[in-house]
Amino acid sequence: MDWKFFGEVFVTLLVITDPPGMVPIFLALTGALPARERHKAATHAVALALGVIAVFAVAGQTILDYLHIQLPALQGAGGLLLVLVALELLTGKADDPDQQSTSNIALVPLGTPLLAGPGAIVATMLFVQRADSPGQYVAIGLGIVAVMVAVWLVLRYSGIIVKVLRPGGIEVLTRIAGLLLAAIAVQLMADSIGAFVELFTTAHP
């Protein structure tokens, strides 16, 4: 077990997933749900993110090569998904109880692309490429699990904030979260376009 490598993986993925930054978005999407459903959404989202990151850690490059997908395309797709969710939050459609579904919220956008987004996937794939011993592979696996546990704990106990904010505060938080999510989406798409331009200029100097 390479503890130094574990620390590097843990800190990097923790910064990328940003659990405190996830709280307002999580509460905006699940604030109207009962506590039990909110806890279930947190568990499902973290489980999905763990599964997606694990799959890309094991076979990420193979999958992308087989489908002829470049990493900037993943960033662009994630950005487009987040734009759709951000528009729902900003226009109030996410507040409609008929539109709320615990499983849907957990899958998109919480599980992916927020938790298991392009940043986390790329970072994990790079760590796997760097690993050259069984101890480092174990460190990557434990690092991913430790980060997901930390994220789950933050989301699981975010309900305390719901009690403090009450419905009016949740509504304000929803609009703010929509704005933040839109900014994240635009940044993802800008990074994607920049990466494609760089790839093009490299290929055609």
mmCIF file of all heavy atoms in Angstrom, residues 117-156:
data_model
loop_
_atom_site.group_PDB
_atom_site.id
_atom_site.type_symbol
_atom_site.label_atom_id
_atom_site.label_comp_id
_atom_site.label_asym_id
_atom_site.label_seq_id
_atom_site.Cartn_x
_atom_site.Cartn_y
_atom_site.Cartn_z
ATOM 1 N N GLY A 117 -17.689 13.373 -13.055
ATOM 2 C CA GLY A 117 -17.623 14.217 -14.239
ATOM 3 C C GLY A 117 -16.314 14.031 -14.984
ATOM 4 O O GLY A 117 -15.478 13.203 -14.606
ATOM 5 N N PRO A 118 -16.128 14.817 -16.031
ATOM 6 C CA PRO A 118 -14.897 14.703 -16.829
ATOM 7 C C PRO A 118 -13.629 14.875 -15.997
ATOM 8 O O PRO A 118 -12.650 14.164 -16.198
ATOM 9 C CB PRO A 118 -15.042 15.841 -17.852
ATOM 10 C CG PRO A 118 -16.507 16.069 -17.956
ATOM 11 C CD PRO A 118 -17.067 15.800 -16.599
ATOM 12 N N GLY A 119 -13.662 15.813 -15.040
ATOM 13 C CA GLY A 119 -12.478 16.051 -14.218
ATOM 14 C C GLY A 119 -12.075 14.833 -13.406
ATOM 15 O O GLY A 119 -10.912 14.418 -13.404
ATOM 16 N N ALA A 120 -13.052 14.239 -12.707
ATOM 17 C CA ALA A 120 -12.775 13.056 -11.882
ATOM 18 C C ALA A 120 -12.360 11.868 -12.748
ATOM 19 O O ALA A 120 -11.444 11.106 -12.389
ATOM 20 C CB ALA A 120 -14.006 12.695 -11.052
ATOM 21 N N ILE A 121 -13.018 11.702 -13.894
ATOM 22 C CA ILE A 121 -12.697 10.580 -14.786
ATOM 23 C C ILE A 121 -11.283 10.707 -15.343
ATOM 24 O O ILE A 121 -10.500 9.751 -15.314
ATOM 25 C CB ILE A 121 -13.732 10.505 -15.935
ATOM 26 C CG1 ILE A 121 -15.080 10.028 -15.396
ATOM 27 C CG2 ILE A 121 -13.250 9.579 -17.046
ATOM 28 C CD1 ILE A 121 -16.218 10.129 -16.395
ATOM 29 N N VAL A 122 -10.939 11.899 -15.827
ATOM 30 C CA VAL A 122 -9.609 12.115 -16.402
ATOM 31 C C VAL A 122 -8.531 11.945 -15.336
ATOM 32 O O VAL A 122 -7.501 11.292 -15.577
ATOM 33 C CB VAL A 122 -9.516 13.518 -17.045
ATOM 34 C CG1 VAL A 122 -8.080 13.832 -17.461
ATOM 35 C CG2 VAL A 122 -10.440 13.609 -18.254
ATOM 36 N N ALA A 123 -8.758 12.521 -14.149
ATOM 37 C CA ALA A 123 -7.770 12.405 -13.068
ATOM 38 C C ALA A 123 -7.532 10.945 -12.697
ATOM 39 O O ALA A 123 -6.386 10.511 -12.519
ATOM 40 C CB ALA A 123 -8.245 13.191 -11.844
ATOM 41 N N THR A 124 -8.619 10.178 -12.598
ATOM 42 C CA THR A 124 -8.494 8.757 -12.255
ATOM 43 C C THR A 124 -7.729 7.997 -13.328
ATOM 44 O O THR A 124 -6.847 7.177 -13.016
ATOM 45 C CB THR A 124 -9.894 8.127 -12.083
ATOM 46 O OG1 THR A 124 -10.617 8.847 -11.083
ATOM 47 C CG2 THR A 124 -9.778 6.670 -11.658
ATOM 48 N N MET A 125 -8.045 8.264 -14.596
ATOM 49 C CA MET A 125 -7.348 7.589 -15.695
ATOM 50 C C MET A 125 -5.850 7.917 -15.686
ATOM 51 O O MET A 125 -5.010 7.056 -15.941
ATOM 52 C CB MET A 125 -7.977 7.972 -17.038
ATOM 53 C CG MET A 125 -9.352 7.351 -17.248
ATOM 54 S SD MET A 125 -10.247 8.009 -18.689
ATOM 55 C CE MET A 125 -9.137 7.585 -20.020
ATOM 56 N N LEU A 126 -5.511 9.169 -15.365
ATOM 57 C CA LEU A 126 -4.098 9.565 -15.310
ATOM 58 C C LEU A 126 -3.376 8.868 -14.149
ATOM 59 O O LEU A 126 -2.220 8.449 -14.285
ATOM 60 C CB LEU A 126 -3.980 11.085 -15.160
ATOM 61 C CG LEU A 126 -4.391 11.908 -16.388
ATOM 62 C CD1 LEU A 126 -4.343 13.400 -16.077
ATOM 63 C CD2 LEU A 126 -3.484 11.587 -17.576
ATOM 64 N N PHE A 127 -4.055 8.738 -13.005
ATOM 65 C CA PHE A 127 -3.453 8.030 -11.868
ATOM 66 C C PHE A 127 -3.187 6.565 -12.222
ATOM 67 O O PHE A 127 -2.145 6.010 -11.868
ATOM 68 C CB PHE A 127 -4.354 8.118 -10.636
ATOM 69 C CG PHE A 127 -4.226 9.404 -9.873
ATOM 70 C CD1 PHE A 127 -5.356 10.183 -9.599
ATOM 71 C CD2 PHE A 127 -2.989 9.851 -9.429
ATOM 72 C CE1 PHE A 127 -5.243 11.377 -8.901
ATOM 73 C CE2 PHE A 127 -2.869 11.048 -8.720
ATOM 74 C CZ PHE A 127 -3.996 11.813 -8.468
ATOM 75 N N VAL A 128 -4.143 5.939 -12.914
ATOM 76 C CA VAL A 128 -3.983 4.535 -13.314
ATOM 77 C C VAL A 128 -2.798 4.385 -14.260
ATOM 78 O O VAL A 128 -2.020 3.429 -14.172
ATOM 79 C CB VAL A 128 -5.282 4.002 -13.968
ATOM 80 C CG1 VAL A 128 -5.048 2.627 -14.597
ATOM 81 C CG2 VAL A 128 -6.398 3.919 -12.936
ATOM 82 N N GLN A 129 -2.628 5.355 -15.177
ATOM 83 C CA GLN A 129 -1.500 5.306 -16.110
ATOM 84 C C GLN A 129 -0.164 5.459 -15.383
ATOM 85 O O GLN A 129 0.839 4.877 -15.785
ATOM 86 C CB GLN A 129 -1.654 6.403 -17.169
ATOM 87 C CG GLN A 129 -2.774 6.136 -18.171
ATOM 88 C CD GLN A 129 -3.012 7.309 -19.115
ATOM 89 O OE1 GLN A 129 -2.229 8.268 -19.135
ATOM 90 N NE2 GLN A 129 -4.085 7.255 -19.889
ATOM 91 N N ARG A 130 -0.171 6.238 -14.295
ATOM 92 C CA ARG A 130 1.062 6.460 -13.531
ATOM 93 C C ARG A 130 1.416 5.288 -12.637
ATOM 94 O O ARG A 130 2.591 5.061 -12.328
ATOM 95 C CB ARG A 130 0.913 7.703 -12.658
ATOM 96 C CG ARG A 130 1.087 9.014 -13.411
ATOM 97 C CD ARG A 130 0.849 10.181 -12.480
ATOM 98 N NE ARG A 130 1.607 10.055 -11.230
ATOM 99 C CZ ARG A 130 1.360 10.778 -10.141
ATOM 100 N NH1 ARG A 130 0.362 11.657 -10.135
ATOM 101 N NH2 ARG A 130 2.088 10.608 -9.050
ATOM 102 N N ALA A 131 0.409 4.530 -12.196
ATOM 103 C CA ALA A 131 0.635 3.436 -11.239
ATOM 104 C C ALA A 131 1.503 2.343 -11.878
ATOM 105 O O ALA A 131 1.285 1.959 -13.026
ATOM 106 C CB ALA A 131 -0.690 2.856 -10.772
ATOM 107 N N ASP A 132 2.470 1.845 -11.115
ATOM 108 C CA ASP A 132 3.353 0.796 -11.656
ATOM 109 C C ASP A 132 3.618 -0.322 -10.650
ATOM 110 O O ASP A 132 4.564 -1.080 -10.782
ATOM 111 C CB ASP A 132 4.672 1.404 -12.128
ATOM 112 C CG ASP A 132 5.377 2.197 -11.024
ATOM 113 O OD1 ASP A 132 4.917 2.128 -9.861
ATOM 114 O OD2 ASP A 132 6.367 2.883 -11.330
ATOM 115 N N SER A 133 2.756 -0.408 -9.612
ATOM 116 C CA SER A 133 2.909 -1.471 -8.625
ATOM 117 C C SER A 133 1.549 -1.804 -8.037
ATOM 118 O O SER A 133 0.647 -0.962 -8.031
ATOM 119 C CB SER A 133 3.868 -1.037 -7.515
ATOM 120 O OG SER A 133 3.290 -0.017 -6.728
ATOM 121 N N PRO A 134 1.374 -3.040 -7.532
ATOM 122 C CA PRO A 134 0.094 -3.417 -6.908
ATOM 123 C C PRO A 134 -0.303 -2.478 -5.773
ATOM 124 O O PRO A 134 -1.489 -2.160 -5.602
ATOM 125 C CB PRO A 134 0.357 -4.831 -6.386
ATOM 126 C CG PRO A 134 1.452 -5.361 -7.256
ATOM 127 C CD PRO A 134 2.310 -4.175 -7.578
ATOM 128 N N GLY A 135 0.684 -2.003 -4.998
ATOM 129 C CA GLY A 135 0.400 -1.103 -3.892
ATOM 130 C C GLY A 135 -0.223 0.201 -4.361
ATOM 131 O O GLY A 135 -1.108 0.753 -3.702
ATOM 132 N N GLN A 136 0.217 0.697 -5.528
ATOM 133 C CA GLN A 136 -0.336 1.949 -6.049
ATOM 134 C C GLN A 136 -1.737 1.742 -6.618
ATOM 135 O O GLN A 136 -2.588 2.627 -6.519
ATOM 136 C CB GLN A 136 0.606 2.528 -7.110
ATOM 137 C CG GLN A 136 1.907 3.072 -6.514
ATOM 138 C CD GLN A 136 2.759 3.787 -7.536
ATOM 139 O OE1 GLN A 136 2.722 3.489 -8.727
ATOM 140 N NE2 GLN A 136 3.563 4.726 -7.079
ATOM 141 N N TYR A 137 -1.982 0.584 -7.216
ATOM 142 C CA TYR A 137 -3.339 0.287 -7.698
ATOM 143 C C TYR A 137 -4.320 0.194 -6.530
ATOM 144 O O TYR A 137 -5.458 0.676 -6.602
ATOM 145 C CB TYR A 137 -3.356 -1.012 -8.504
ATOM 146 C CG TYR A 137 -2.741 -0.887 -9.873
ATOM 147 C CD1 TYR A 137 -1.609 -1.606 -10.224
ATOM 148 C CD2 TYR A 137 -3.291 -0.030 -10.832
ATOM 149 C CE1 TYR A 137 -1.027 -1.484 -11.484
ATOM 150 C CE2 TYR A 137 -2.722 0.096 -12.091
ATOM 151 C CZ TYR A 137 -1.595 -0.634 -12.411
ATOM 152 O OH TYR A 137 -1.037 -0.493 -13.652
ATOM 153 N N VAL A 138 -3.865 -0.424 -5.429
ATOM 154 C CA VAL A 138 -4.703 -0.496 -4.214
ATOM 155 C C VAL A 138 -4.951 0.907 -3.665
ATOM 156 O O VAL A 138 -6.064 1.238 -3.237
ATOM 157 C CB VAL A 138 -4.018 -1.374 -3.139
ATOM 158 C CG1 VAL A 138 -4.765 -1.278 -1.812
ATOM 159 C CG2 VAL A 138 -3.951 -2.824 -3.600
ATOM 160 N N ALA A 139 -3.914 1.763 -3.709
ATOM 161 C CA ALA A 139 -4.040 3.138 -3.221
ATOM 162 C C ALA A 139 -5.087 3.903 -4.035
ATOM 163 O O ALA A 139 -5.886 4.671 -3.474
ATOM 164 C CB ALA A 139 -2.687 3.847 -3.304
ATOM 165 N N ILE A 140 -5.122 3.690 -5.349
ATOM 166 C CA ILE A 140 -6.113 4.362 -6.205
ATOM 167 C C ILE A 140 -7.519 3.910 -5.823
ATOM 168 O O ILE A 140 -8.422 4.729 -5.645
ATOM 169 C CB ILE A 140 -5.844 4.055 -7.703
ATOM 170 C CG1 ILE A 140 -4.542 4.715 -8.143
ATOM 171 C CG2 ILE A 140 -7.002 4.555 -8.563
ATOM 172 C CD1 ILE A 140 -4.090 4.308 -9.537
ATOM 173 N N GLY A 141 -7.689 2.585 -5.669
ATOM 174 C CA GLY A 141 -9.002 2.046 -5.312
ATOM 175 C C GLY A 141 -9.494 2.576 -3.978
ATOM 176 O O GLY A 141 -10.642 3.036 -3.860
ATOM 177 N N LEU A 142 -8.631 2.547 -2.977
ATOM 178 C CA LEU A 142 -9.023 3.029 -1.648
ATOM 179 C C LEU A 142 -9.247 4.538 -1.643
ATOM 180 O O LEU A 142 -10.122 5.044 -0.944
ATOM 181 C CB LEU A 142 -7.949 2.650 -0.620
ATOM 182 C CG LEU A 142 -7.847 1.164 -0.254
ATOM 183 C CD1 LEU A 142 -6.742 0.946 0.771
ATOM 184 C CD2 LEU A 142 -9.171 0.647 0.298
ATOM 185 N N GLY A 143 -8.449 5.256 -2.437
ATOM 186 C CA GLY A 143 -8.603 6.705 -2.527
ATOM 187 C C GLY A 143 -9.967 7.085 -3.093
ATOM 188 O O GLY A 143 -10.632 7.985 -2.581
ATOM 189 N N ILE A 144 -10.385 6.378 -4.150
ATOM 190 C CA ILE A 144 -11.695 6.644 -4.765
ATOM 191 C C ILE A 144 -12.817 6.363 -3.766
ATOM 192 O O ILE A 144 -13.741 7.166 -3.604
ATOM 193 C CB ILE A 144 -11.878 5.777 -6.034
ATOM 194 C CG1 ILE A 144 -10.890 6.208 -7.118
ATOM 195 C CG2 ILE A 144 -13.312 5.881 -6.557
ATOM 196 C CD1 ILE A 144 -10.828 5.255 -8.300
ATOM 197 N N VAL A 145 -12.719 5.213 -3.069
ATOM 198 C CA VAL A 145 -13.756 4.846 -2.091
ATOM 199 C C VAL A 145 -13.804 5.858 -0.953
ATOM 200 O O VAL A 145 -14.890 6.284 -0.520
ATOM 201 C CB VAL A 145 -13.485 3.423 -1.534
ATOM 202 C CG1 VAL A 145 -14.420 3.123 -0.366
ATOM 203 C CG2 VAL A 145 -13.658 2.377 -2.630
ATOM 204 N N ALA A 146 -12.635 6.285 -0.453
ATOM 205 C CA ALA A 146 -12.581 7.243 0.655
ATOM 206 C C ALA A 146 -13.226 8.577 0.267
ATOM 207 O O ALA A 146 -13.962 9.188 1.061
ATOM 208 C CB ALA A 146 -11.130 7.462 1.083
ATOM 209 N N VAL A 147 -12.980 9.028 -0.955
ATOM 210 C CA VAL A 147 -13.574 10.288 -1.424
ATOM 211 C C VAL A 147 -15.093 10.158 -1.510
ATOM 212 O O VAL A 147 -15.838 11.054 -1.091
ATOM 213 C CB VAL A 147 -12.988 10.684 -2.801
ATOM 214 C CG1 VAL A 147 -13.812 11.806 -3.437
ATOM 215 C CG2 VAL A 147 -11.541 11.115 -2.647
ATOM 216 N N MET A 148 -15.571 9.040 -2.043
ATOM 217 C CA MET A 148 -17.017 8.842 -2.180
ATOM 218 C C MET A 148 -17.698 8.754 -0.814
ATOM 219 O O MET A 148 -18.822 9.235 -0.637
ATOM 220 C CB MET A 148 -17.308 7.579 -2.996
ATOM 221 C CG MET A 148 -16.976 7.700 -4.472
ATOM 222 S SD MET A 148 -17.949 8.989 -5.283
ATOM 223 C CE MET A 148 -16.679 10.101 -5.847
ATOM 224 N N VAL A 149 -17.021 8.165 0.161
ATOM 225 C CA VAL A 149 -17.566 8.109 1.526
ATOM 226 C C VAL A 149 -17.668 9.526 2.103
ATOM 227 O O VAL A 149 -18.667 9.888 2.734
ATOM 228 C CB VAL A 149 -16.680 7.224 2.436
ATOM 229 C CG1 VAL A 149 -17.077 7.389 3.905
ATOM 230 C CG2 VAL A 149 -16.799 5.757 2.028
ATOM 231 N N ALA A 150 -16.624 10.335 1.865
ATOM 232 C CA ALA A 150 -16.642 11.717 2.353
ATOM 233 C C ALA A 150 -17.782 12.506 1.709
ATOM 234 O O ALA A 150 -18.492 13.257 2.384
ATOM 235 C CB ALA A 150 -15.295 12.393 2.045
ATOM 236 N N VAL A 151 -17.972 12.323 0.408
ATOM 237 C CA VAL A 151 -19.061 13.012 -0.304
ATOM 238 C C VAL A 151 -20.409 12.573 0.253
ATOM 239 O O VAL A 151 -21.299 13.398 0.491
ATOM 240 C CB VAL A 151 -18.988 12.726 -1.824
ATOM 241 C CG1 VAL A 151 -20.237 13.265 -2.531
ATOM 242 C CG2 VAL A 151 -17.736 13.345 -2.426
ATOM 243 N N TRP A 152 -20.560 11.265 0.470
ATOM 244 C CA TRP A 152 -21.835 10.745 0.987
ATOM 245 C C TRP A 152 -22.157 11.322 2.357
ATOM 246 O O TRP A 152 -23.301 11.702 2.637
ATOM 247 C CB TRP A 152 -21.797 9.216 1.066
ATOM 248 C CG TRP A 152 -23.080 8.640 1.592
ATOM 249 C CD1 TRP A 152 -24.220 8.404 0.886
ATOM 250 C CD2 TRP A 152 -23.362 8.256 2.947
ATOM 251 N NE1 TRP A 152 -25.203 7.892 1.711
ATOM 252 C CE2 TRP A 152 -24.702 7.786 2.976
ATOM 253 C CE3 TRP A 152 -22.612 8.244 4.110
ATOM 254 C CZ2 TRP A 152 -25.287 7.330 4.147
ATOM 255 C CZ3 TRP A 152 -23.200 7.790 5.286
ATOM 256 C CH2 TRP A 152 -24.528 7.334 5.290
ATOM 257 N N LEU A 153 -21.149 11.414 3.227
ATOM 258 C CA LEU A 153 -21.362 11.957 4.573
ATOM 259 C C LEU A 153 -21.831 13.418 4.500
ATOM 260 O O LEU A 153 -22.747 13.832 5.223
ATOM 261 C CB LEU A 153 -20.073 11.863 5.393
ATOM 262 C CG LEU A 153 -19.688 10.460 5.871
ATOM 263 C CD1 LEU A 153 -18.302 10.470 6.502
ATOM 264 C CD2 LEU A 153 -20.719 9.929 6.864
ATOM 265 N N VAL A 154 -21.211 14.203 3.603
ATOM 266 C CA VAL A 154 -21.587 15.614 3.465
ATOM 267 C C VAL A 154 -23.022 15.734 2.965
ATOM 268 O O VAL A 154 -23.824 16.516 3.499
ATOM 269 C CB VAL A 154 -20.614 16.340 2.504
ATOM 270 C CG1 VAL A 154 -21.134 17.736 2.180
ATOM 271 C CG2 VAL A 154 -19.225 16.433 3.126
ATOM 272 N N LEU A 155 -23.381 14.948 1.937
ATOM 273 C CA LEU A 155 -24.731 15.023 1.380
ATOM 274 C C LEU A 155 -25.762 14.444 2.349
ATOM 275 O O LEU A 155 -26.870 14.972 2.480
ATOM 276 C CB LEU A 155 -24.799 14.271 0.042
ATOM 277 C CG LEU A 155 -23.915 14.809 -1.093
ATOM 278 C CD1 LEU A 155 -24.171 14.022 -2.370
ATOM 279 C CD2 LEU A 155 -24.145 16.285 -1.314
ATOM 280 N N ARG A 156 -25.399 13.368 3.026
ATOM 281 C CA ARG A 156 -26.324 12.688 3.940
ATOM 282 C C ARG A 156 -26.762 13.618 5.072
ATOM 283 O O ARG A 156 -27.920 13.604 5.506
ATOM 284 C CB ARG A 156 -25.637 11.445 4.508
ATOM 285 C CG ARG A 156 -26.340 10.759 5.667
ATOM 286 C CD ARG A 156 -27.668 10.144 5.224
ATOM 287 N NE ARG A 156 -28.288 9.393 6.303
ATOM 288 C CZ ARG A 156 -28.914 9.928 7.342
ATOM 289 N NH1 ARG A 156 -29.001 11.244 7.438
ATOM 290 N NH2 ARG A 156 -29.466 9.169 8.272
#
